[in-house]
Structure formats: structure tokens, C-alpha cells
Amino acid sequence: MQRCTTLTFARHSRLLLRSKFALAQCQQSAAMSSLLINQPKYAWLKELGLSEDNPGVYNGSWGGSGEVITSYCPANNEPIARVTQATLAEYEETVQKTKEAWKLWADIPAPKRAEIVRQIGDALRKKIKVLGSLVSLEMGKIYVEGVGEVQEYVDVCDYAVGLSRMIGGPILPSERPGHALIEQWNPVGLVGIITAFNFPVAVYGWNNAIALTCGNVCLWKGAPTTPLTSVAVTKIVAEVLEQNNLPGSICSMTCGGADIGTAMAKDERVDLLSFTGSTYVGKMVAMMVQERFGRKLLELGGNNAIIVFEDADLNLVVPSAVFASVGTAGQRCTTTRRLMLHESVHDTVVESLAKAYKQVRIGDPWDPSTLYGPLHTKQAVEQYLAAIEQAKQQGGTVVCGGKVMDRPGNYVEPTIITGLAHDASIVHTETFVPILYVLKFKTEEEAFAWNNEVKQGLSSSIFTKDLGRVFRWLGPRGSDCGIVNVNIPTSGAEIGGAFGGEKHTGGGRESGSDSWKQYMRRSTCTINYSKDLPLAQGIKFE
């Protein structure tokens, strides 16, 4: 009897387990079918090597056993696919492999390293449209901006190829006979790269291409909300390295959150940490790196201003202000957040801007005709509403916009607010949303002072025909920003010039000019080729 009962119970248990397993399979199947990657419209995602579940660690081989995160499309808040992040143990393994790869990579001559960078650029060219589409889908920026971002990486690869035959220090005149005095530049070693959601390809590209050419290896942690882009880019780069029989760990990746970022900041094996993100987080990163006397490259916030004088060409002003304030839905670090108008042109410009704002084509970011897409997250929508409420409380008037749009996704209306004081707290706050604060000024001195009074110092621009004013603006008592423009908007920087800013923007410089020096260490070398031993400064020690 007991045996029969036991058998009956066992049979019941097996049936129950089968039922639970079938339910789990059904739920998993439903979850997979709900992912955008499984819908025919988004089949192109698989051209980038993406699938429903993607490993978030690469160090020569793919892996990841940490938290599983789902990436969502900002245009409809639907899940795209999943990525498994790195554990701290996997981070440790990745750093070890990356440091080991540096021993080989550093010994390769710079022009030969640049040949690999050239191939990376060519590989990106082949995937530029599909990768640009992914940026648009996952970040939310319009398609042409997504493609343009990949183009930036390609362009910096080209730049780095030329740079490979130009890196060098001077031969300096020695005060001692029979001596040579030279500067020698060598790679720092391992460059850690932490990037933000708003430029999930380009910022990595700026760092990666130049760091590689300089002889460094790279470890990348992209934003947790754009992990698919990190995986897709790494797959492209990894394929180039593997085709050249080089260790894939030369360009490693660990997807993760604050735990991985903190580990990178505190890790003495990370010889240079490049961080792009908010000033708030950047300050914490800087303190952790400084505590170990490490090297850092910070690209943080911007509270950028356009100043329009009475003699400005308003045909340039309006489209510039619209592009700089509305582009990427206000989510560029170079977005114009303050528009300072001379009192004689204030009303005219505000009226023209309001009309232009109403003509901005809003829609799906991957539609080629769209000019303005969604905010990246629901949290950004909340920040948008909170900022508008604060602006009203501080005396601001909403001229246009100011509402969340009634449609799927994180869409808000691009907004213009007038009537605020130049030193209102909300005006001095960088809110990463499409809100433009319009201020009225009387004199040049006043406008220049207002530009410089905020804590950030990234980008700035004036519109004028006065040549003297132009050079005062460029001079020591003019703009205190790292990017100082005349008759163009605050956004849209070229790769040939060093990109970065002062004060709470962090002081970093990336991309062009001599920014390559940040990825290298300098040695002053003295060579005595004589048979004597004279000392510097004429010192006698006999």
C-alpha cells in the first residue's frame, strides 16, 4: 500500500514538474517573442551578431555571468534584447588578460598598430548604416545622428592612422657639451574607458583609436542603458583583431554598473581612466583615481550659452539655436541651454524661435524624415517636468512646449522659457533635456560675465559682425570654455580640434590637436656621448 502511494505520489510529482517546465517554456517563449530582435522589422539587428541573450564580457573570448539586464527602445519602451553583465571576478580576469596583451601590442611599431586601426575603421564603414540604426533604436537619437556617430569613429580612425607617423618629442639644445637632450613618449599601458548613453559609439571611438595608435590597450565599460551598442561595436573590433592573429583582449569590454566603474576607478593597473558622464559622478570618479595618484581624463557636464548681439545675422541665429537646443532632444553635453539675447533683438528672435520649434518634425528616430526623437529614459521625462515646474516657480514663462507628448515612448515637447534671471538656480542647473532658457542682456560685459558665471565650462558661442568683439570673446577676458565659437552653434564639434572643457566640465581633452599626449607618458632623456661629465648649471663637484 505504501509502495503504491509512493508510486502515485512520484507520478503526480513528475506530472507537476512537467507542467511547471511547460509553463516556464511557454513564459520564456512569450518573453522571447516580445523582444524587438525577434520581430521581422528588426531582423537587421542580427547582422550585428546580436541575439535574444548576449554575453557582456569580452577579453579574447565572450562570457558574462553577472546580472542580466534588458535594453529598451526609448521610442516605445519595448524590450530589444538582453545582455549578461560582468561579475567582479570576470572584471579581474579581463584586466589580467588585457595587461598581458599590452606586452605584445606595445612592441609593435606605431605605423603597424595604425594599420589595425585603419582596418577597424574600414570594418565600421561596412556596418555604418546598421550600427547607426542600432544607436538610433537603443539610445533614441535620430537615424542620421546615429550614422553620424559611427562616422566620427571612422574619421578618428583615419586621423589616428596619420598620427602614427607624427608622434614624437623635440630634440632640445643641451647646455652641456657632448650631450643630447630629447623627449621620449611612450604609451601609458591600459586605458580604461567609461562612456555615457548619449554617445555610445563616438566617445569610445575617440579614445580607442588614438589610445591604440599610441600603443595602449583598452578596457571599455559602456552605459548600462546602451549595452547592445557596446556589444555590437566590440564584435566589429574583435573580428579585426582576430583576423590579424592578435589577442582580442587588446580591446576588452566589461558591461556593468557602478560596481565595475568603481573597480576601474580604484584599480592601480588602469593607467589612465577616461570618464564621460555627469559632473556629479565624475567628481566621485576623480577622487577615487586621485586617491591612488592615477591619471584621469574627464568629459563632464556643460551649461552652454549662445550670445546674440544687436548686429548678429538673425538668419544664422535661429537655425543655429534650434539645432543646438533641440538636436538629440537636448541630450548632448554641448546642447545650448542658455540663449542670451540683446534687448534690441530679444522679442524678434523669441518669436522666430517659437515658430521654428513648432515646425520641428517629431517622430520615430529611425525614420529619415524625423528631426527630434524621444528622451533616453522615463527618468529623464520626470527630470524634464521637474525642471519646468522649478522654472515657473522662479519666475519663468513657458513660450512653447512644456508638456509630455501623448504617444508611446519618452517623448516631450521641446521647450522655450523666458523671463528668468540670469542667476536663477534652475538656469545654473544642467538638466539633460530639451529646455532652452532665454535671457535678456544690455551690454557685452554683462553677457560675457553671464556666460562665465556657471560652474561648467564646455562650449560657448557668440553671433556678431564686430571683429573687435570677436577677439575680445576669444581672449583672456572672454569665454572661459574649452570650446569658443563665433557665428556657429555650441554643438557640432569637429574631430580635428581637441574636445573638452574647463571647471566642472573636468578639464579633459579628446580627439584632435595634441590630445594624444594624454594617452602617453613623457620622459626627458639626457644622453652623454662625450668622455667628460660636466654638470648642469655649471656646478662643480670635485
Side-chain angles (χ1 to χ4, degrees), residues 34 70 84 169 223 235 336 353 355 393 399 411 464 470 504 508 520:
S34 68
T70 302
T84 306
K235 283 181 177 290
T336 297
L353 269 180
K355 288 179 181 178
Q393 291 174 2
V399 173
Y411 286 88
T464 185
V470 168
H504 285 212
M520 305 194 81

Side-chain angles (χ1 to χ4, degrees), residues 50 131 134-135 138-139 200-201 220 226-234:
L50 299 174
L131 187 55
L134 173 58
V135 173
E138 188 175 39
M139 184 272 153
V201 174
W220 182 21
T226 54
L228 297 174
T229 301
S230 299
V231 171
V233 170
T234 300

